[in-house]
């Protein structure tokens, strides 16, 4: 099953905004990034991880490649952008070419949990970033093991993810699974324990729940305010589908049991 189905919306936005090559990746990031707090989150990764032109970074679950292109633009580092869905991967690769960033950003299609994919990625990355992807992968242990394996010693991860603050209600569990493709979220303690078991140290669990709750609440309000423009570009069905998704996510965060976190940790 495909998690994400809005490929056509990116193409429609490119046409509507008259974006032709060479495209500015910062302007493009307004439509191609799926994580929270936009480029500030990517800037935080560059600052915390001290990425520079000598670094090779793996972006796990790169989506349309937005964060990977911003990373490369801000720090001139080399990025391998790994994406599971072939159609999203192909559009991401095309957008990178349209931004003239294909010398810095290389796209790979595959599953981070698949051994052949990992062989194709190679080893010895300086850092791994991942924005709102791990929440789709229920079993964190094999995922964190792979991350540790492909990093060089003293390599770092910068992961933005969901976690469980307190037990979810039955309705929340159903909504997370059905609408967000998310199940078995770990608690803070469980997450840290898994990181340690996979060999990570210097673990920094940065609480983002308040900021993200505000962000998803504002996102919903602004989306409703901009209904006319969105419907004109994408149609009524796309509007009502996204309205439902944004409402579900805002309700979950405002419920107080869903948390947002940035995890920074190092291999030994
Ligand atoms: C919420 S989107 C975030 C995309 C991107 N990180 C961003 O912030 O724009 C999650 C992405 O992770 C990808 N993904 C999910 N599971 C994956 C896996 N096992 N391996 C690689 N990518 C995966 C999905 O296909 C989707 O494009």
């Amino acid at each position: 099953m495909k998690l994400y189905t809005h490929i056509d919306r990116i193409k429609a936005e490119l046409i509507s905004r008259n974006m032709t090559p060479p495209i500015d990746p910062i302007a493009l990031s307004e439509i191609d990034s799926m994580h929270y707090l936009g480029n500030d989150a990517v800037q935080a990764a560059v600052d915390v991880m001290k990425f520079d032109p000598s670094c090779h970074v793996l972006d796990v679950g790169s989506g349309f490649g937005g964060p990977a292109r911003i990373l490369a633009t801000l720090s001139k580092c080399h990025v391998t952008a790994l994406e599971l869905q072939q159609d999203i991967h192909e559009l991401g690769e095309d957008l990178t070419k349209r931004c003239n960033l294909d010398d810095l950003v290389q796209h790979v299609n595959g599953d981070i949990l698949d051994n052949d994919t990992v062989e194709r990625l190679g080893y010895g990355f300086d850092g791994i970033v991942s924005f709102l992807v791990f929440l789709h992968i229920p079993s964190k242990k094999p995922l964190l093991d792979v991350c540790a394996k492909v990093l060089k010693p003293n390599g770092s991860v910068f992961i933005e993810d969901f976690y469980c603050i307190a037990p979810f209600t039955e309705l929340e569990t159903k909504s997370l699974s059905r609408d967000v493709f998310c199940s078995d979220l770990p608690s803070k303690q469980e997450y840290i324990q898994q990181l340690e078991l996979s060999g990570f140290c210097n673990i920094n669990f940065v609480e983002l729940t308040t900021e993200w709750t505000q962000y998803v609440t504002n996102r919903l309000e602004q989306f409703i305010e901009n209904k006319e423009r969105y419907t004109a570009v994408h149609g009524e069905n796309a509007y009502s589908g996204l309205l439902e998704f944004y409402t579900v996510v805002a309700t979950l965060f405002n419920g107080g049991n869903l948390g947002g976190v940035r995890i920074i940790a190092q291999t030994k």
Side-chain angles (χ1 to χ4, degrees), residues 14 17 37 42 55 63 70 73 77 79-80 113 152 157-158 191 194 196 219 232 235 241 253 264:
L14 289 177
R17 294 170 189 230
L37 298 171
V42 186
C55 294
I70 298 301
T73 302
C77 67
V79 186
T80 296
L113 296 178
K152 68 178 192 185
V157 287
F158 182 103
Y191 218 140
Q194 290 299 345
E196 286 170 346
R219 177 175 73 170
F253 270 106
I264 300 149

Side-chain angles (χ1 to χ4, degrees), residues 64-166:
F64 299 105
R69 285 186 289 274
I70 298 301
L71 271 182
T73 302
L74 295 176
S75 73
K76 307 287 177 248
C77 67
H78 288 260
V79 186
T80 296
L82 172 69
E83 170 52 42
L84 177 66
Q85 267 186 229
Q86 190 176 349
D87 48 1
I88 295 184
H89 154 79
E90 283 168 3
L91 181 53
E93 194 165 44
D94 180 42
L95 291 171
T96 293
K97 283 189 190 131
R98 295 198 212 188
C99 291
N100 281 342
L101 279 170
D102 42 330
D103 53 338
L104 288 180
V105 181
Q106 181 210 2
H107 290 261
V108 174
N109 180 210
D111 183 341
I112 185 65
L113 296 178
D114 172 61
N115 287 336
D116 290 343
T117 301
V118 174
E119 287 300 319
R120 278 192 291 134
L121 291 173
Y123 300 87
F125 287 98
D126 298 284
I128 290 179
V129 298
S130 189
F131 297 92
L132 296 191
V133 178
F134 283 25
L135 59 104
H136 294 308
I137 302 172
S139 186
K140 297 287 181 280
K141 179 74 169 68
L143 176 59
L144 293 167
D145 283 348
V146 174
C147 290
K149 193 165 119 183
V150 301
L151 280 169
K152 68 178 192 185
N154 294 318
S156 322
V157 287
F158 182 103
I159 302 160
E160 293 202 343
D161 198 11
F162 290 2
Y163 78 103
C164 176
I165 294 177

Side-chain angles (χ1 to χ4, degrees), residues 191-226:
Y191 218 140
I192 291 173
Q193 197 176 21
Q194 290 299 345
L195 283 152
E196 286 170 346
L197 284 171
S198 297
F200 286 95
C201 59
N202 300 332
I203 298 164
N204 193 357
F205 196 94
V206 183
E207 178 56 61
L208 291 178
T209 308
T210 306
E211 289 93 323
W212 284 9
T213 303
Q214 193 63 59
Y215 174 84
V216 297
T217 306
N218 291 346
R219 177 175 73 170
L220 175 60
E221 284 169 11
Q222 281 166 16
F223 189 67
I224 293 168
E225 270 171 31
N226 292 328

